[in-house]
Every structure is written in C-alpha cells, then in structure tokens.
Amino acid sequence: MLFRSDGTFDLTMARKQLAGVLAVRPDAALFIRFHVNAPKWWMRLHPEENTLYADTHPKPDTEWGLLRIIEDDAATPTRTSLASKKWLAACGEKLAQFCRELAATPEGAAIAGLQLAGGIYGEWHYWGLLHNEPDLSEPMQAHFRAWLVQKYGTDRTLQKAWKNPHTGLQTASVPSLSERLHTANGVFRDPQQEQQVIDYYQCQHELVADDIIYFCKIARENWPRPLITGTFYGYYFSVFGRDATGGHLALQKVLASPYVDYLSGPNVYYPRHTDVGDPYRSRSLIESVRLHGKLWLDEMDQQPYLKSKKDPDYQAGVQNSVAHVRRNALFTFAKGMGFWFYDFGVAGNRLNSTAAEFATGWWDHPALMHDIRRLKTWLDQTMTKPYASAADVLMVFDTDVYYHVGIKEDIDPVSQQAVNWMTLAAYQAGAIFDPVHLADLERVDLKPYKLVIFANTFVLSEAQRRFIRRQVLNEGRHVAFIYAPGFSNGKTLADDHISQVTGLKMVETHLDRVPAIRISNPDISWTTGKKPFAPIFSIEDKAAQPWGVFPENNAVAVGSKKLDAATSWFFSLPPVDAAVLRRLCQEAGVHLYAEPGNIVYGGNGCLVLHSKTGGSTSIRLKDGRTVLLTFPEGACTAILDADNGGILFQ
C-alpha cells in the first residue's frame, strides 16, 4: 500500500512491478492505472466522509483471502463520498507526491502516462450503481448546496425553480429515494414539479467529472515532463439502465478539459456482443470523442473460444478465436481509435478446460499470438493515414435527457431500447453509422450523411430545435425521430414541441396494453416494455405517409413526410428489428455493403467483413459493383479495400 496510516509513502512495490516489465522489454512505454480511492484505514478514520446510500446501509468489505482493492466495489460497500473535500485534498496530495518521486527513479523514465481511476472498479461509476442510490452524506449535501448557489444565486430564484417557498440555498437537501422514483408524467419528470431531482442528478454527474479533471490536472502538473493523462469515462452504451444513478453523463465537461487526453472503457456487455457473428461495439460516443480531439481506447476483455485439445471442436475453437479477436480489434481500427487486451486470468475462464492449458493467459495460443502479430504489423502501416469515416448514417444521442426520465426501466422502458437494442439492430442491418452527442451536432459535417437518427433526444432547447429544422432537415437527407423528440424543452413538457422539430403534426395516444407496432413490407411487429406506459405519441398529419400502426387503436405509429428540403420520419417506439432499420436505410439511400447475416465496419479506405459461416459472400461497393468473395467455411474476419473489394488482410 502506497499511502499508509502513519503518513509514510512507499514506492517499493510500484517500482518492482515496473522493473519487472522493463526487464522483459527495456524499450517499453508504460502506463500506470492509479486508483485514487481512499484507503480503508482512512475511511475508518473519517466515517463522516463516507457515502450514505439513500436506500440501504453500507456492507462490510470481504476481509479474508487474496483480494483486489476493488473486490467489493459493485455492492454497497463503505466508500468515501465522491463529494468529500477531505478525500480530494488527502489523495490529491499523495498523487502529487507519487508523481514527483516516481519521476525521479530509473523506472519513472519509462512512464508515458497515468490513467486516473476512481469509483466502482476505478471506472468512475458512483457507489451503488447497479441496484442502489447514493448519496445523502454530509459532504454531498454541502456540495449540492454550493452547486445550487452557483446555479441560482438567491433563495428566491431557487424557490421559484423548485416551486417550494420553504427551501433555501443553505437548507436545500439531496432528494430522497421516493422523490427520485417519482415521475410526474409517466416516463418523464416535469421540470415544473421535479426540478430538485433534475438538479441533483446533474450536480452529481458534474461532481464526478470535476473529480476526474482534478486528479488529471495534479498528475500533469507534478510530472516534470509531458505526460499523457486519461481515465475510464464516457460509457454510454450498456450501462445497465442505471445511467442517472452512476453513468457518465457529464461527458461534455470531461471532453472540454485540457487535462484529459484520452477516455477508455470496456466493450459493451449487452445485448448480443460476445458470440461469433455478433457485432463488437465500443462503449462510447466515439464521434464526439474525435470531434474534441481526444482518443478513445477500448479495454477488450472478451475471452476467445479456445477449447481443450481433447475436444473434437478444438480446431473450430481456434478458428472462431482468430475471427473473434480480429473482429474486435478491427472495429476500433475502423473508427480511428485504439484498444488494449485485458486478461482476467485463470479465475476468469468461462470455458470447460484444464487449468494447465489456460494458465498462461487468454490469448496465449500460438495461432492467436501469430495472428495478433500479423495484424499489429498491418495496422501499424495505417497510422500515418488521415482518418476518414465510411459512415453515411449519423445517430444522435443525449446524456442530459437522463436527468429528465425515470431512473428504472419499469418507469422508462424506452431509453434502453433506443440506445442499446436499436444500435444493435443497425449493425445487424448492415449500416455503417457514427454515434455523436447531441451537444456536438453543430460540430459535425453533415454532408456525408444520408440518414440522421435522433435516438433519445427527448429534451431539446429552442436553439437545438431550430438547428435541426434548418440544418439537419436539409440537403435532401432523411431524418428519423424516435419516441418523443423535444417533448421537454428543459422547462415544460408539450406535444407541440415534437411537432415543431419533426414537421409532423403529433398527438398523444392512449394504449391500455403493452405498446406494439405493426408495419408491412417487411411484415413485422414489435413491442416496448412489459406493461402499458405513457406518454405515447402518434402521427395525425394528412400529408404524412403511414408506414406502421398501433394495432390496438390503428393510430399511425410510424410514418414519413416530405418537407421542403428533407424527409422527416417518426417512430413512436424505437425500431429494434434489423429488417425495419434496413428498410429505413434503403428508403434513405444508405449504402448497404452486405446481405443480412454479415457484419461490416468501414473507415480509412477499408471495409471489415465479419462472417459467422464464411464460404462465398458478396460485397456491393459504393460505385455499384458487386464483388464475390470466397473464404474457408467457418468464422472469418477480413479487411477489404473499400474501392475495389480486394482482400487486404485475411
């Protein structure tokens, strides 16, 4: 332990670990993941600084066996509040000391960067993410009040916003669990009634972003030469429906910081992510990361499909593993980003194998190591080329919207579908798309995009609605709006807000059963949620072309309308079927390279084709030519030239 209770500070273990790497590879450039969580002795010494959960008591950590320092993080452990000023001061001081002292050692000369880690598993999720709610502690109460002072300035302004004449800047409190679980309008919080809860979640997420920037700044300023600083942050897809409680919603604040060079995170964990034939996906809004001049690094922690040598499917397991690793690495390449392999070790093996066969690491197999070396050599040759995306679909997502909707999936069954399942369907449909944050829409060059999908932009300001109408609904492109675009303007909820942004006359419809949509061509129906919910909107516009209905009342649930300079589409529920999205792409003139069943990524003048079955397949190039390719039977991943379809790497 570096930071001891007697105040001493010891670099021995850190230097030993670094020296071990350098003994194997003297020219290595090393990155350290530095956990800034308070030591357990410090938490016992300062119990008043610890997180106070809104719905449970902290559980004691496991105290026996060989344990990681993050062993119990995902439960409801005793952990310091991320609002604690004492923690920030104490651990910030020790981080600065670590940087100064390590930089002066021989091992310090090999350090290229620090990854500052905090919160659950070092991934900056607030304590209690999965099932519980933070944080009623005194540090958080004090921080919330200070935040309100900055936002509102006077008691009167706060009272007006909260519709509460009895509160004040020095007495306002973090909302209770019951207040957080309540939503005044079904899926939505009404800002006219629930601004206190909206404010709290925004405050909590800005706090986490401030903590990240604080520690990155300390590391940068206390290292005597240029240092790369980054963190686990920017998770957007696959956050278990707990985005408001402990996701990464202050993305814009972190992206704007000059002290953060890169963001990183594991690949998505659901839906359909690990099997051969599934699409690999990064966790973040990568286009926004690029637009801010940052780098995204995937932590690729998917175990390959190696089997025991005695297994009759041993060779198929090797082939599947090679295709699997290529697929994962090449997604990141196609997006102009990077990644690292993360091995959970023997204890993380999910395969039926003997310990001896897999005791040396997940990817420690001659065929895999040979292919990884070949792939790395090929990818290194592309580093000097300016990156260019191949996407002609742009998908627009928001983070602030999570302050305004229910915090559980039974309250808000829409957001998970729009963010996680609809994007899965887009990959399966064969579309190449870029995901971007709503706040970065004005930074985007819209010319390459034939289709823009507004996925969960349920909160839109007047200025954002105006930009969408003037700039996005333009140049002949197709624009698809999902569920309730702009229903909230941050101050009020109104059906008319939706009509204003879509150009379609919209009305609220009432359904007594689980919402279901049926469309023809293709003949498909789908549902959202497990019970009826509100609000639900439908098209009531004579100039619109109906495409799908609610069977319960025949209200138009999906349709389009030709505007002066674009075609506007509306989907009452997120389209989560690949056939529906493929049809939408075809209507918009989006280029689809392959038939359903194959996954295609594109970027930097290359196409990445991932197939579960191999054999003969065809690729349709953008110039209209069709190229027939033949691969060995079984799983495969190959790199193709986007201009002529030639195989560049197989």
Side-chain angles (χ1 to χ4, degrees):
M1 183 179 293
L2 293 171
F3 183 11
R4 296 194 179 103
S5 58
D6 62 2
T8 59
F9 190 80
D10 187 3
L11 289 176
T12 303
M13 181 58 70
R15 291 186 63 186
K16 183 177 181 180
Q17 290 177 326
L18 296 171
V21 177
L22 293 171
V24 176
R25 190 67 189 253
D27 61 344
L30 304 179
F31 281 72
I32 294 176
R33 185 176 301 170
F34 190 101
H35 287 262
V36 298
N37 296 342
K40 292 181 181 180
W41 63 262
W42 195 94
M43 291 185 285
R44 289 191 290 268
L45 190 63
H46 301 283
E48 74 285 355
E49 300 298 311
N50 292 336
T51 297
L52 181 61
Y53 299 100
D55 52 1
T56 191
H57 297 290
K59 297 179 176 60
D61 283 62
T62 305
E63 297 294 346
W64 57 271
L66 184 62
L67 302 173
R68 302 181 297 166
I69 61 171
I70 57 175
E71 185 73 26
D72 296 304
D73 279 2
T76 48
T78 299
R79 295 290 186 269
T80 306
S81 168
L82 296 182
S84 169
K85 300 297 187 290
K86 286 184 179 179
W87 159 66
L88 287 169
C91 289
E93 177 188 342
K94 291 304 175 185
L95 171 61
Q97 182 182 353
F98 173 86
C99 290
R100 292 192 300 268
E101 293 187 10
L102 183 62
T105 67
E107 294 82 13
I111 300 300
L114 261 65
Q115 180 167 326
L116 286 308
I120 295 176
Y121 297 152
E123 296 174 88
W124 291 108
H125 298 302
Y126 214 104
W127 309 114
L129 162 73
L130 292 178
H131 305 293
N132 300 93
E133 283 286 317
D135 175 4
L136 302 178
S137 68
E138 282 305 313
M140 179 57 87
Q141 299 280 10
H143 179 80
F144 187 39
R145 289 166 187 156
W147 186 90
L148 293 171
V149 168
Q150 291 295 313
K151 179 173 182 178
Y152 293 108
T154 67
D155 287 348
R156 184 175 180 180
T157 307
L158 174 66
Q159 291 163 359
K160 183 179 179 181
W162 285 15
K163 302 295 188 291
N164 183 356
H166 305 296
T167 194
L169 294 171
Q170 301 307 314
T171 59
S173 62
V174 169
S176 66
L177 178 65
S178 61
E179 289 171 316
R180 300 181 204 188
L181 290 173
H182 178 264
T183 53
N185 194 330
V187 169
F188 291 90
R189 301 192 192 283
D190 186 345
Q192 293 293 312
Q193 303 177 47
E194 298 168 288
Q195 189 62 43
Q196 178 191 6
V197 180
I198 294 170
D199 280 342
Y200 167 68
Y201 281 119
Q202 184 178 352
C203 169
Q204 176 188 298
H205 283 274
E206 290 183 1
L207 163 67
V208 174
D210 287 338
D211 288 351
I212 290 169
I213 295 167
Y214 168 80
F215 286 113
C216 286
K217 184 174 185 287
I218 288 174
R220 184 78 64 78
E221 293 181 344
N222 285 274
W223 202 269
R225 56 176 171 77
L227 183 75
I228 297 171
T229 49
T231 190
F232 280 129
Y233 198 76
Y235 298 18
Y236 190 76
F237 304 103
S238 180
V239 190
F240 312 108
R242 302 291 287 159
D243 303 79
T245 298
H248 294 166
L249 301 187
L251 177 62
Q252 292 293 314
K253 191 165 197 175
V254 176
L255 288 177
S257 172
Y259 300 107
V260 181
D261 297 310
Y262 72 88
L263 303 180
S264 56
N267 43 255
V268 301
Y269 289 155
Y270 68 89
R272 292 194 58 179
H273 64 296
T274 58
D275 290 345
V276 172
D278 289 341
Y280 177 91
R281 288 97 79 197
S282 291
R283 207 79 173 269
S284 195
L285 300 173
I286 290 181
E287 187 63 20
S288 281
V289 177
R290 179 184 301 107
L291 287 168
H292 286 264
K294 310 290 186 183
L295 183 67
W296 175 264
L297 298 175
D298 272 347
E299 179 176 88
M300 202 282 280
D301 60 4
Q302 292 185 3
Q303 187 178 359
Y305 294 92
L306 299 173
K307 298 178 179 292
S308 168
K309 291 180 181 178
K310 299 177 182 178
D311 194 305
D313 293 328
Y314 168 74
Q315 289 297 339
V318 173
Q319 182 177 355
N320 287 345
S321 297
V322 169
H324 182 259
V325 170
R326 284 188 191 176
R327 178 202 71 167
N328 298 357
L330 291 172
F331 172 90
T332 306
F333 155 72
K335 291 299 181 183
M337 296 297 175
F339 81 108
W340 67 76
F341 290 100
Y342 187 81
D343 190 336
F344 275 98
V346 176
N349 279 335
R350 57 172 166 76
L351 303 173
N352 295 322
S353 60
T354 63
E357 285 181 292
F358 292 95
T360 52
W362 282 6
W363 297 279
D364 192 5
H365 183 283
L368 271 180
M369 296 305 292
H370 173 71
D371 202 69
I372 289 170
R373 185 177 296 108
R374 289 180 61 231
L375 187 60
K376 174 69 163 57
T377 300
W378 189 90
L379 292 174
D380 283 346
Q381 299 170 7
T382 72
M383 294 289 287
T384 58
K385 294 174 58 178
Y387 176 76
S389 172
D392 52 5
V393 178
L394 183 70
M395 298 187 77
V396 185
F397 302 89
D398 191 24
T399 51
D400 289 358
V401 66
Y402 287 108
Y403 307 141
H404 295 260
V405 296
I407 61 172
K408 291 191 174 183
E409 202 168 350
D410 62 343
I411 306 172
D412 170 20
V414 179
S415 295
Q416 281 275 296
Q417 296 290 304
V419 170
N420 295 307
W421 271 261
M422 187 173 70
T423 49
L424 170 65
Y427 286 112
Q428 293 171 328
I432 297 178
F433 70 89
D434 288 329
V436 73
H437 193 289
L438 173 65
D440 293 318
L441 189 56
E442 294 189 30
R443 296 171 177 256
V444 175
D445 177 6
L446 293 170
K447 288 184 176 60
Y449 300 109
K450 296 180 179 179
L451 172 64
V452 177
I453 300 175
F454 287 89
N456 67 335
T457 55
F458 313 145
V459 181
L460 293 171
S461 68
E462 303 289 339
Q464 288 169 328
R465 288 208 303 268
R466 190 162 52 248
F467 180 83
I468 293 168
R469 286 302 303 269
R470 293 177 179 176
Q471 303 298 324
V472 184
L473 283 160
N474 206 343
E475 298 179 312
R477 70 176 58 87
H478 289 239
V479 181
F481 298 93
I482 310 302
Y483 178 58
F487 178 54
S488 173
N489 64 3
K491 299 176 182 178
T492 59
L493 306 175
D495 301 2
D496 190 52
H497 294 162
I498 303 176
S499 300
Q500 289 172 20
V501 71
T502 62
L504 290 155
K505 184 181 178 182
M506 308 297 303
V507 296
E508 189 168 345
T509 189
H510 178 77
L511 300 174
D512 292 320
R513 299 193 291 270
V514 175
I517 292 177
R518 174 169 289 281
I519 66 171
S520 57
N521 192 22
D523 187 14
I524 290 174
S525 63
W526 74 93
T527 62
T528 295
K530 298 179 180 179
K531 62 182 182 180
F533 64 87
I536 297 286
F537 302 95
S538 62
I539 300 171
E540 194 176 80
D541 192 321
K542 293 181 180 179
Q545 178 67 39
W547 207 45
V549 300
F550 292 113
E552 183 178 333
N553 61 8
N554 278 327
V556 178
V558 180
S560 65
K561 180 180 179 180
K562 289 188 180 298
L563 306 179
D564 290 341
T567 300
S568 179
W569 291 78
F570 178 77
F571 288 79
S572 297
L573 303 176
V576 295
D577 192 290
V580 175
L581 279 178
R582 189 173 177 88
R583 169 75 190 282
L584 174 63
C585 288
Q586 290 168 335
E587 293 283 338
V590 169
H591 188 81
L592 301 173
Y593 290 91
E595 294 301 312
N598 291 324
I599 302 299
V600 178
Y601 306 131
N604 251 23
C606 299
L607 299 175
V608 177
L609 173 68
H610 174 66
S611 172
K612 181 177 182 179
T613 58
S616 296
T617 189
S618 60
I619 293 290
R620 188 169 64 90
L621 304 177
K622 278 199 170 182
D623 64 9
R625 289 180 297 154
T626 297
V627 179
L628 183 64
L629 303 170
T630 302
F631 300 100
E633 296 295 325
C636 67
T637 304
I639 306 173
L640 314 176
D641 188 303
D643 292 328
N644 58 36
I647 297 176
L648 301 175
F649 185 94
Q650 180 181 0

